[in-house]
Amino acid sequence: MREDITFILNNQVEKVSGLSGDTTLLNWLRQTKKLTGSKEGCGEGDCGACTVAVARPRADGAMQWQPVNACILFMGMLEGASVTTVEGIRPEGKGAPDLHPCQQVMVDQHASQCGFCTPGFVMSLFAAWCNGDGLAPAEIDTTLAGNLCRCTGYRPIVDAAAALPRRAIPPRWETRRRETEAGLMAAIAHDETVRLGDGKCSFIAPTSSDGFARAYAQAPDATIVSGATDVGLWVTKQNRKMPQMLWTGRVAGFDEIRRSGAHWRIGPAVTHQQAMPVLAEGRPDLAEVMRRFGSAQVRASGTVCGNIANGSPI
Ligand code: FES
Ligand code: FES
């Protein structure tokens, strides 16, 4: 078992150890890395001011960038992933513009006043822009539904999203950034269990179902965590202490959805976003309900099984 976590932050490798297992990404970014572009508004996954983009390869090998709420994401959940914050999107290299297109459209459309929400909106746009998805006129409200603005008003922000250039092939400077990101992620990939802890609170991320079962047998009082869209609030809002947390998100096969006769088998780490297309298949009414469930950020982290297991009030 490795006693540290390794991930990519703004295209640099980070190795972190000795940190309390319940440390959130937002607190670490702001307090340790002094990256204060990501803001804390609600601290509970509602406002999107803390939105960052987390990239991971999909099952088909293509990279996927997810907008996530850093305020309720535990550091141990980042093993092997790539995190991009608003500080990390600045275009670099020959021919690169001063501002990222996701920032430039916000300027051009006068879509920011106090600016507190702006980095979160920019990062939601950035994730959609990287995926080449969610920026068609009919999709923009859904893409931005997890970001709240108390001053500008949403019309210019939606106008900014609509003005964002959508290109099948990214500009050269962005291609270079993605190549670096993919190369670093491949270099740090491994399949060992990791533990992040400070002696008072440990976050354990096993990689196999046997390893998960063994870890749970050794610590039967451990809190099982999937997306942390509930458990994160136990920490940030209730100041609850959990000596051990056991994460489903890295276990091989826990993210699988399989059809079995008339039933679906949904693994414990399957997010709402992953489950939506199959659950809504042939049920347009349910598709509409699910589109309104949480937000893009919450659906990208929260899991169907965790939601049911917790009887989530949210
Ligand atoms: Fe509001 Fe994170 S601070 S969603
Ligand atoms: Fe002030 Fe959005 S610009 S909260």
Side-chain angles (χ1 to χ4, degrees):
M1 183 182 316
R2 294 192 184 185
E3 298 288 341
D4 52 39
I5 59 161
T6 312
F7 62 99
I8 311 301
L9 174 64
N10 294 338
N11 271 2
Q12 305 270 337
V13 175
E14 293 282 346
K15 195 181 268 285
V16 175
S17 61
L19 200 61
S20 177
D22 61 3
T23 306
T24 63
L25 172 61
L26 184 64
N27 282 344
W28 183 79
L29 287 173
R30 292 180 59 85
Q31 293 168 11
T32 304
K33 301 302 286 184
K34 309 299 180 200
L35 293 175
T36 53
S38 308
K39 306 296 187 228
E40 178 164 8
C42 62
E44 59 183 41
D46 291 334
C47 73
C50 62
T51 302
V52 300
V54 174
R56 287 194 177 89
R58 288 191 316 223
D60 63 5
M63 195 69 83
Q64 181 158 38
W65 290 265
Q66 301 278 17
V68 300
N69 291 317
C71 65
I72 50 171
L73 194 82
F74 296 123
M75 288 293 289
M77 298 165 76
L78 296 173
E79 173 64 45
S82 171
V83 179
T84 304
T85 68
V86 73
E87 291 88 351
I89 65 170
R90 183 168 183 194
E92 285 181 355
K94 202 166 162 224
D98 284 343
L99 288 178
H100 192 280
C102 296
Q103 296 170 308
Q104 191 62 57
V105 289
M106 295 289 280
V107 174
D108 294 345
Q109 299 296 324
H110 307 286
S112 177
Q113 287 188 55
C114 79
F116 195 83
C117 70
T118 308
F121 274 101
V122 166
M123 293 313 295
S124 286
L125 290 178
F126 174 80
W129 183 80
C130 287
N131 292 324
D133 196 18
L135 292 170
E139 299 168 329
I140 290 172
D141 285 358
T142 301
T143 298
L144 298 179
N147 294 87
L148 304 183
C149 175
R150 295 297 86 170
C151 31
T152 301
Y154 294 102
R155 203 261 306 146
I157 297 173
V158 171
D159 287 349
L164 192 53
R166 285 185 279 147
R167 307 167 42 159
I169 300 174
R172 184 76 197 113
W173 48 267
E174 172 64 5
T175 302
R176 285 194 296 265
R177 190 197 70 77
R178 291 185 196 181
E179 286 169 354
T180 304
E181 181 175 57
L184 291 173
M185 288 173 78
I188 63 168
H190 68 89
D191 58 5
E192 288 179 54
T193 293
V194 297
R195 174 164 56 196
L196 183 65
D198 63 352
K200 292 189 187 139
C201 175
S202 291
F203 188 99
I204 302 168
T207 50
S208 69
S209 52
D210 284 352
F212 191 94
R214 273 196 303 277
Y216 198 29
Q218 284 164 11
D221 293 331
T223 303
I224 296 178
V225 181
S226 284
T229 49
D230 266 338
V231 179
L233 274 68
W234 300 354
V235 173
T236 62
K237 295 291 155 177
Q238 298 177 351
N239 202 23
R240 216 188 276 188
K241 302 293 174 210
M242 289 170 284
Q244 300 243 43
M245 286 188 273
L246 205 46
W247 189 40
T248 63
R250 196 168 144 74
V251 178
F254 274 17
D255 60 349
E256 283 176 10
I257 306 177
R258 269 182 284 149
R259 187 168 225 154
S260 161
H263 300 90
W264 289 104
R265 291 177 64 92
I266 295 178
V270 173
T271 63
H272 292 289
Q273 188 208 46
Q274 291 167 321
M276 261 170 81
V278 295
L279 293 180
E281 201 179 278
R283 303 181 191 92
D285 49 346
L286 183 58
E288 179 56 15
V289 170
M290 294 186 81
R291 187 182 72 78
R292 290 162 180 271
F293 188 100
S295 61
Q297 291 92 322
V298 168
R299 291 192 298 271
S301 296
T303 64
V304 176
C305 294
N307 197 170
I308 294 168
N310 278 351
S312 172
I314 303 168

